Amino acid sequence: MESLTTRKQLNNSTSIPMLGYGTYKIKDPAEAYNSVKLALDKGYRHIDTAAFYENEKDVSTAITDFINAGHAKRDEIFVTSKVWKTELGYDKTLAAFERTMKEMTLDYLDLYLVHWPSSSAFDDDWVNTNRQTWKAMMEIYKSGRVKAIGVSNFLTHHLDTIIDMDVIPAVNQIEINPGFLQKDTVDYCQDKGIIVEAWSPLGRGKSLSHPVLQELAAKHGKSVAQIILRWEIQHEVIPLPKSVTPERIVENSQVFDFELDEDDMQSIDDIPPYGNSGHSPDAP
């Protein structure tokens, strides 16, 4: 049976834990530090942050303190950060990476992502911007300061702008929750060997009230959140749940001792759009 530390192989020599801890909107320094520290204490080994979250320093300090206390080795903890959409392009991406590394004071990152694609909604030269950004990402990767590179919020037409370049993205982190599987993008990525991660995997909490999910939770003796996370894992998607509540941090990690059957999976697949954010990379 899988566990919190079970890893999936990326399209290079790096592997990634099957469930991560997200840190979006945790801006208070003490809360960011304490939440990440607690997640690590409870067994998480996959921590996701971004420059846009404004908590890279506090997240990395918690990781470093955890390692220095002898609780884990650096190579046991998978750390991700991202370059924001205002910093796209070759030179800006390289500079953004240097700022992230200065903030995080780590020798390397396990994964560095382009947080948001350039698109025609705000960039007339969006295809070239994506290619120049990815050129910088490949340079960062080849420097050895990141173990893998990838993208976030890229739909198939955004991926098409870079898929022919020397390094194929290892990961695409997109919004996935019940009613919003984004199957076309997931299928595209899985066909290309790109691992899919899910941000907002619980639908910003709205999905927790869905009657289909509540029925499945009762059937399996699990919480609705656990049912959703298990559904994503069984779709070969890596969820990144975020919570600052200790009980929920623990609960979200306890999804490896049961399985959903085919009918369970289909009933969740059939849920219409319900808890998704409405954010689109093709919107201004």
Side-chain angles (χ1 to χ4, degrees):
M1 179 64 80
E2 307 140 338
S3 71
L4 192 55
T5 58
T6 300
R7 291 184 171 233
K8 294 172 67 71
Q9 190 65 41
L10 298 179
N11 59 10
N12 61 8
S13 60
T14 302
S15 60
I16 182 170
M18 290 178 62
L19 186 142
Y21 178 71
T23 62
Y24 179 47
K25 289 191 174 180
I26 313 179
K27 290 187 177 182
D28 177 78
E31 190 170 56
Y33 177 92
N34 291 330
S35 297
V36 171
K37 183 68 162 48
L38 177 63
L40 292 168
D41 283 338
K42 298 303 181 180
Y44 287 82
R45 291 297 180 266
H46 179 177
I47 307 295
D48 182 272
T49 185
F52 181 69
Y53 301 170
E54 299 179 5
N55 61 18
E56 288 176 309
K57 180 178 180 180
D58 306 302
V59 167
S60 67
T61 300
I63 293 168
T64 300
D65 288 353
F66 188 77
I67 293 168
N68 288 343
H71 300 311
K73 297 178 181 177
R74 171 64 185 91
D75 62 7
E76 294 173 342
I77 302 176
F78 192 97
V79 185
T80 302
S81 195
K82 314 176 190 77
V83 53
W84 184 234
K85 64 182 178 180
T86 55
E87 307 303 318
L88 301 182
Y90 180 78
D91 291 332
K92 284 186 176 180
T93 296
L94 292 177
F97 175 71
E98 293 301 332
R99 287 194 295 273
T100 280
M101 295 305 288
K102 185 176 181 180
E103 277 289 293
M104 299 194 75
T105 64
L106 297 173
D107 292 336
Y108 68 90
L109 296 179
D110 296 274
L111 181 64
Y112 194 53
L113 302 179
V114 182
H115 203 153
W116 208 261
S118 184
S119 79
S120 58
F122 56 87
D123 183 355
D124 291 338
D125 198 23
W126 67 279
V127 171
N128 183 57
T129 299
N130 283 334
R131 292 182 69 83
Q132 288 301 309
T133 301
W134 195 247
K135 180 181 176 183
M137 294 290 286
M138 292 191 300
E139 186 171 314
I140 292 166
Y141 173 59
K142 291 173 182 177
S143 75
R145 297 171 72 194
V146 299
K147 299 295 184 183
I149 53 173
V151 296
S152 182
N153 299 298
F154 274 55
L155 305 180
T156 58
H157 56 283
H158 305 121
L159 288 162
D160 282 339
T161 66
I162 62 171
I163 203 69
D164 65 326
M165 298 177 73
D166 289 346
V167 180
I168 293 176
V171 165
N172 187 15
Q173 184 182 126
I174 59 177
E175 180 179 8
I176 292 177
N177 41 61
F180 201 64
L181 180 57
Q182 299 212 66
K183 191 173 187 303
D184 287 348
T185 301
V186 171
D187 287 349
Y188 178 108
C189 289
Q190 291 179 344
D191 181 64
K192 301 289 187 183
I194 301 169
I195 294 289
V196 178
E197 293 182 324
W199 62 262
S200 192
L202 303 177
R204 303 197 173 191
K206 186 175 181 182
S207 296
L208 303 180
S209 63
H210 197 285
V212 169
L213 298 168
Q214 291 179 336
E215 183 178 327
L216 289 172
K219 172 184 173 180
H220 289 276
K222 290 288 184 177
S223 71
V224 173
Q226 289 169 329
I227 294 294
I228 295 171
L229 297 174
R230 186 69 213 174
W231 170 72
E232 287 153 351
I233 288 169
Q234 287 183 217
H235 270 300
E236 299 296 324
V237 168
I238 296 174
L240 303 167
K242 171 255 175 178
S243 178
V244 296
T245 305
E247 294 79 11
R248 289 179 183 168
I249 290 172
V250 173
E251 177 186 288
N252 290 341
S253 73
Q254 296 172 336
V255 293
F256 299 105
D257 58 351
F258 76 105
E259 288 190 3
L260 301 173
D261 62 33
E262 187 175 331
D263 289 342
D264 296 336
M265 292 292 290
Q266 190 62 54
S267 66
I268 303 175
D269 289 354
D270 290 342
I271 292 174
Y274 190 74
N276 58 299
S277 69
H279 297 317
S280 168
D282 286 323

